[in-house]
Amino acid sequence: MSKLGIGLMSGTSLDGIDAVLCRVNGTGFETELEVLHAYSVAYTDDEKQKIMALCDEHTARVDDITAMNFYLAEKFSEAVLQLIEQSDYSLTDIDFVSSHGQTIYHLPDEGSTKFQPKSTLQIGDISVISERTGLPVVGDFRTADMAAGGQGAPLVSFLDYVFFKDEKKSRALQNIGGIGNVTYLGRGDDQQLTSFDTGPGNMVIDEVVYRLSEKTLTYDKNGQWAAKGQENSQFVEELMDHEYFSRKPPKTTGREVFGKAYVDGVMKRAKELDLSADDLVASVTAWTAKTIAKSYKDFILSANKPLDEVIVSGGGGHNETLLRYLQEYLPDQRVTTIDEFGISSDAKEAAAFVLFGYHFLLGETNTISEFTNADHEVIMGKLSYTQPQAFEKVLSIRGS
Amino acid sequence: MSKLGIGLMSGTSLDGIDAVLCRVNGTGFETELEVLHAYSVAYTDDEKQKIMALCDEHTARVDDITAMNFYLAEKFSEAVLQLIEQSDYSLTDIDFVSSHGQTIYHLPDEGSTKFQPKSTLQIGDISVISERTGLPVVGDFRTADMAAGGQGAPLVSFLDYVFFKDEKKSRALQNIGGIGNVTYLGRGDDQQLTSFDTGPGNMVIDEVVYRLSEKTLTYDKNGQWAAKGQENSQFVEELMDHEYFSRKPPKTTGREVFGKAYVDGVMKRAKELDLSADDLVASVTAWTAKTIAKSYKDFILSANKPLDEVIVSGGGGHNETLLRYLQEYLPDQRVTTIDEFGISSDAKEAAAFVLFGYHFLLGETNTISEFTNADHEVIMGKLSYTQPQAFEKVLSIRGS
């Protein structure tokens, strides 16, 4: 029997919260999912600044982390209530909520002391969301994969596999959120699977635009600003020199690598090269596309794996200049967006969490270890139900 | 049918980890619990220093919090495995684990900005523990009570109520861990219930002993050092002046109030008064007892509530000098320890988490709102099961 789940996503780009209501049905790789309604709310400037401060080891305070774990959970709860209000459903129709939370730190590799195991931290307490909505809430997924030796990312590849593995076409599912990540799916029975973060997604573009616009713009809408400039090849090549791009997958990255400190360096070098604002935005946009294309060339095509289609999702799917550069750098592949397949670019990640939460509640593994490089597949997630009626919903999902 | 659960506790005193294996049976207030085996492991000095740094807003770093959330979970998992090794049971006999985690910050009151809701943060990721043990793990309890308007503490009062509510005797269940807290239970049908943190438990005594012994002692074993000195009444009275003691319950406190910075002041004042080391240890021990006794006088006895017995648990139950002072300050009550009732002083808190985890898995509320001042009772806790066999155990608990 089909169930109604709400997925919540808040990515490293700190745009805001995506909430999506889905109907979900079936089990394992035969699971079907239909997006019924989507709702997004942007973070206010002060919220964004506050969260960014939590992601930086020099500005994060334990009292702020403690408090924001609750504050963001209240925001996530409000997003659920708004989504419901706009939809044709009521809260009591919903079977479960599944929330990614907000990543504030991700340590994909062990450090040099015993006190630095690889680890990750997402906030937005699921018990707060359960108490506000009266629903069972699944969340905090990444830690289970890391406990099993994985990198805790990219998670969405599980959805890519379930829905986009194709008999005849080899595909790269490229998500461009704050960070860019790709899921590579071979054709038909070809089980060659790869998934890794390609590098920055919108993160560097957004921060450059924010600074150049004197804090009036938080992103380059449809890539209009980048379209006005011309990329500076020397600058783009210099930026390509970062060690992350030559490192072999599996690999993941985040704000700790391509955050504000990184952009400080970008701005400084752009000034030395005397780049205009337009050319700087064009250059970081071209560079972002190039990091993606080069990843494919070095780690997919050079290994003699075929690649027919590139399917872009995430906020970057709206950046037409970025897509144009990507097609230019990948002349032999068809570059398109996920909207073509009936899932909007913005809804994909939130919808993936509906899938993860559903599999968790059924007691089914919701990872593919090839993607995260884990020792084995696990049932990711944690479950909260603060009220007896929420517990009854959990029992009913299992009984159906 | 009875179930086997393992409780894990690591308190604010940072002594180490208490693990306890219990048989549990029944439902609601009729639940029965028997302690089968207990195991404790002390934190090493470097672990203790590392955790303390996380609890201080000036030294805590987000990368350390992220990493220690995993590191401590590994330690908790090792404690489970050691407990099992010493017991007559094997891992596959166990039905579930229930873990308090390590509190690193607790904000019982709202702050002045919207970004400071009341909140609490426990670390020691339950998915890591599930992955290491193959068992379902419940944990991270306090946030649900706070989401329902509670103070998120004291939780153990629920166990006190279930096991110590008596027809003929009114009782104060006094736990003396890092922090001291009391559960007051009226006689028989008298539903007068109160629960609050009395103030520091062993926290200040331990830190003073640590400094006076030049870091060679972490606590005053059996209160032997305090027994050698004489309390300085002027000093004790000055320490009683702290605003916490006059504040009316409900109230909770922690290391952020009575931690190192507080002890800096204690040491400075002791030097001005020219106290000997023996007299200083005796004085903070007498003061700790006095904070408990004064709490009873001001908030229980002065409200015309009867009090027959004081039952001490926690590490403070071993401090004979502390117990002597407490009896001296409460001449009309019988002061005893929980060991008299078949639960060792050290095992009580960990056993309480077996009870909370069990009720969570049955979908039953595991709080009493009078104790935490919540708007209503909730099912506290979050659940992780990273492997299908752990999920099967969850189903079997519900089916029994």
Side-chain angles (χ1 to χ4, degrees):
Chain A
M1 214 180 90
S2 74
K3 295 292 167 187
L4 292 174
I6 290 175
L8 291 169
M9 179 68 205
S10 173
T12 44
S13 60
L14 303 182
D15 301 329
I17 302 164
D18 295 320
V20 61
L21 170 59
C22 300
R23 184 179 300 283
V24 63
N25 202 2
T27 61
F29 296 139
E30 308 305 313
T31 304
E32 290 169 6
L33 180 143
E34 181 192 358
V35 176
L36 301 176
H37 196 78
Y39 168 81
S40 293
V41 57
Y43 285 128
T44 59
D45 281 347
D46 61 343
E47 286 170 345
K48 199 166 165 171
Q49 296 309 315
K50 191 79 189 175
I51 301 168
M52 280 184 124
L54 301 184
C55 303
D56 179 331
E57 61 267 41
H58 302 296
T59 53
R61 290 168 55 109
V62 62
D63 47 349
D64 288 334
I65 294 171
T66 302
M68 290 300 287
N69 184 39
F70 275 60
Y71 180 87
L72 287 176
E74 299 285 0
K75 292 286 291 185
F76 296 153
S77 307
E78 285 164 26
V80 169
L81 301 179
Q82 284 297 321
L83 172 73
I84 288 295
E85 179 139 337
Q86 291 186 0
S87 77
D88 300 326
Y89 298 86
S90 71
L91 262 187
T92 51
D93 297 327
I94 308 302
D95 295 293
F96 66 94
V97 172
S98 180
S99 173
H100 172 263
Q102 178 67 51
T103 296
I104 61 168
Y105 219 83
H106 189 73
L107 285 161
D109 303 302
E110 270 179 41
S112 53
T113 80
K114 68 172 178 177
F115 292 130
Q116 297 166 302
K118 58 185 199 165
S119 48
T120 188
L121 188 60
Q122 281 75 45
I123 63 172
D125 188 79
I126 58 174
S127 293
V128 173
I129 306 173
S130 178
E131 182 62 17
R132 293 294 170 266
T133 61
L135 297 169
V137 182
V138 191
D140 204 9
F141 292 91
R142 296 187 193 266
T143 64
D145 177 71
M146 291 192 99
Q151 298 241 331
L155 300 189
V156 178
S157 302
F158 182 77
L159 173 142
D160 293 335
Y161 186 89
V162 173
F163 297 135
F164 290 97
K165 183 92 170 102
D166 193 86
E167 278 303 302
K168 298 185 182 154
K169 289 176 187 155
S170 61
R171 289 169 160 166
L173 279 290
Q174 177 69 43
N175 194 70
I176 305 178
I179 289 297
N181 54 64
V182 65
T183 303
Y184 172 75
L185 304 168
R187 293 183 191 120
D189 290 341
D190 178 359
Q191 282 292 323
Q192 287 209 41
L193 304 172
T194 315
S195 180
F196 57 91
D197 284 355
T198 50
N202 303 311
M203 187 176 282
V204 174
I205 301 172
D206 288 353
E207 180 68 19
V208 165
V209 164
Y210 184 70
R211 294 188 191 189
L212 290 177
S213 69
E214 289 176 347
K215 307 189 181 181
T216 59
L217 298 175
T218 55
Y219 71 107
D220 180 16
K221 193 173 179 184
N222 298 333
Q224 287 165 349
W225 194 345
K228 287 194 272 178
Q230 187 69 37
E231 79 276 15
N232 178 301
S233 334
Q234 182 195 342
F235 186 49
V236 170
E237 286 314 313
E238 283 179 18
L239 292 178
M240 288 304 299
D241 246 358
H242 193 290
E243 70 83 26
Y244 183 78
F245 307 121
S246 49
R247 204 196 311 163
K248 281 191 182 165
K251 58 182 182 175
T252 61
T253 188
R255 193 171 293 283
E256 56 281 6
V257 179
F258 293 107
K260 282 168 184 275
Y262 181 79
V263 173
D264 288 344
V266 169
M267 300 301 286
K268 187 165 167 248
R269 184 60 186 144
K271 200 167 181 183
E272 287 167 7
L273 290 173
D274 207 21
L275 290 193
S276 71
D278 293 353
D279 288 354
L280 174 52
V281 178
S283 296
V284 292
T285 303
W287 165 67
T288 299
K290 196 159 222 169
T291 64
I292 296 169
K294 187 169 188 298
S295 294
Y296 294 0
K297 286 176 186 157
D298 292 352
F299 308 120
I300 297 172
L301 298 167
S302 76
N304 280 321
K305 298 179 188 174
L307 178 56
D308 301 311
E309 280 183 347
V310 178
I311 304 172
V312 175
S313 61
H318 299 298
N319 186 325
E320 290 165 19
T321 311
L322 181 61
L323 293 176
R324 180 170 58 74
Y325 277 119
L326 192 58
Q327 183 67 77
E328 184 183 323
Y329 297 142
L330 293 168
D332 301 331
Q333 280 74 32
R334 188 172 82 94
V335 175
T336 183
T337 67
I338 198 169
D339 303 70
E340 188 182 311
F341 299 85
I343 302 179
S344 79
S345 281
D346 304 319
K348 181 188 169 192
E349 285 206 289
F353 284 89
V354 174
L355 190 69
F356 304 151
Y358 180 66
H359 280 250
F360 173 94
L361 290 165
L362 293 177
E364 297 182 344
T365 56
N366 48 16
T367 61
I368 290 179
S369 54
E370 280 93 336
F371 290 136
T372 60
N373 205 36
D375 302 330
H376 52 259
E377 273 131 34
V378 294
I379 306 167
M380 295 187 300
K382 301 187 176 91
L383 170 64
S384 173
Y385 39 80
T386 66
Q387 294 296 324
Q389 74 270 24
F391 179 70
E392 293 303 320
K393 293 200 177 223
V394 172
L395 295 184
S396 128
I397 291 169
R398 286 173 189 159
S400 71
Chain B
M1 216 180 88
S2 75
K3 295 291 166 188
L4 292 174
I6 290 175
L8 290 168
M9 178 69 206
S10 174
T12 44
S13 61
L14 303 182
D15 301 328
I17 301 163
D18 295 319
V20 62
L21 170 58
C22 300
R23 184 180 299 283
V24 64
N25 202 4
T27 61
F29 295 139
E30 308 303 313
T31 304
E32 289 169 9
L33 180 144
E34 181 191 359
V35 176
L36 300 176
H37 196 77
Y39 168 80
S40 292
V41 56
Y43 286 129
T44 60
D45 281 347
D46 62 342
E47 286 170 345
K48 198 166 165 171
Q49 296 309 315
K50 191 81 188 172
I51 302 167
M52 280 182 122
L54 301 185
C55 304
D56 179 332
E57 62 265 44
H58 302 296
T59 54
R61 289 168 55 107
V62 62
D63 47 349
D64 288 334
I65 293 170
T66 303
M68 290 300 286
N69 184 37
F70 275 60
Y71 179 87
L72 287 177
E74 299 285 0
K75 292 286 291 188
F76 296 153
S77 307
E78 285 164 25
V80 169
L81 301 178
Q82 284 296 319
L83 172 74
I84 288 295
E85 178 139 337
Q86 290 185 1
S87 77
D88 299 329
Y89 298 86
S90 72
L91 262 187
T92 51
D93 297 327
I94 308 302
D95 295 292
F96 67 94
V97 173
S98 179
S99 173
H100 172 263
Q102 178 68 53
T103 297
I104 62 169
Y105 219 82
H106 189 73
L107 286 160
D109 303 302
E110 270 179 39
S112 52
T113 81
K114 68 173 178 176
F115 292 131
Q116 298 166 301
K118 57 186 199 164
S119 49
T120 188
L121 188 60
Q122 281 76 46
I123 63 172
D125 188 79
I126 59 173
S127 292
V128 173
I129 307 174
S130 179
E131 182 62 17
R132 294 294 169 266
T133 60
L135 297 169
V137 182
V138 190
D140 204 8
F141 291 91
R142 296 187 193 267
T143 64
D145 178 71
M146 291 191 99
Q151 298 241 332
L155 300 190
V156 178
S157 303
F158 182 77
L159 174 142
D160 293 335
Y161 186 89
V162 173
F163 297 137
F164 290 97
K165 183 95 169 97
D166 192 86
E167 278 304 302
K168 298 186 181 155
K169 288 175 187 156
S170 61
R171 287 167 162 168
L173 278 291
Q174 177 69 43
N175 194 70
I176 306 179
I179 289 296
N181 55 63
V182 65
T183 304
Y184 171 75
L185 305 168
R187 294 184 191 119
D189 290 340
D190 178 359
Q191 283 290 326
Q192 289 211 37
L193 304 171
T194 315
S195 181
F196 58 90
D197 285 355
T198 50
N202 303 311
M203 188 176 280
V204 174
I205 301 173
D206 288 355
E207 181 67 20
V208 165
V209 163
Y210 184 69
R211 295 188 190 189
L212 290 177
S213 68
E214 291 177 345
K215 306 188 181 183
T216 59
L217 298 176
T218 54
Y219 71 107
D220 180 15
K221 192 173 180 186
N222 298 334
Q224 288 166 349
W225 194 345
K228 286 194 273 180
Q230 186 69 37
E231 80 277 15
N232 179 300
S233 334
Q234 183 195 340
F235 186 50
V236 170
E237 286 314 312
E238 284 180 20
L239 293 178
M240 289 303 301
D241 246 359
H242 193 290
E243 69 83 27
Y244 185 76
F245 307 122
S246 50
R247 204 195 312 163
K248 281 191 181 164
K251 58 181 183 177
T252 60
T253 188
R255 191 171 294 283
E256 56 280 6
V257 179
F258 293 107
K260 282 168 185 274
Y262 182 78
V263 173
D264 289 344
V266 169
M267 299 301 286
K268 187 166 167 248
R269 184 61 186 145
K271 200 168 180 182
E272 287 167 7
L273 290 172
D274 207 22
L275 290 193
S276 71
D278 292 354
D279 288 354
L280 173 52
V281 178
S283 295
V284 291
T285 304
W287 166 68
T288 300
K290 195 158 222 169
T291 64
I292 296 169
K294 186 168 187 302
S295 295
Y296 294 1
K297 285 174 187 158
D298 292 353
F299 308 120
I300 297 172
L301 298 168
S302 76
N304 280 322
K305 299 179 188 174
L307 178 57
D308 300 311
E309 280 184 346
V310 178
I311 304 172
V312 176
S313 60
H318 299 299
N319 186 325
E320 289 165 21
T321 310
L322 181 60
L323 294 177
R324 180 170 58 73
Y325 278 120
L326 191 57
Q327 182 67 78
E328 185 183 323
Y329 297 142
L330 293 168
D332 301 330
Q333 281 73 33
R334 187 171 82 95
V335 175
T336 183
T337 66
I338 199 169
D339 303 70
E340 188 183 311
F341 299 85
I343 301 178
S344 79
S345 282
D346 304 319
K348 181 189 168 191
E349 286 206 289
F353 284 89
V354 174
L355 189 69
F356 303 151
Y358 179 67
H359 280 250
F360 173 93
L361 289 164
L362 293 177
E364 297 183 343
T365 55
N366 48 17
T367 60
I368 290 179
S369 54
E370 281 92 336
F371 290 136
T372 61
N373 205 35
D375 301 330
H376 53 259
E377 272 130 36
V378 294
I379 305 168
M380 295 186 300
K382 300 186 176 90
L383 170 64
S384 172
Y385 41 80
T386 66
Q387 294 297 323
Q389 74 270 22
F391 179 69
E392 293 303 320
K393 292 199 178 223
V394 172
L395 296 184
S396 129
I397 291 168
R398 286 171 190 163
S400 71

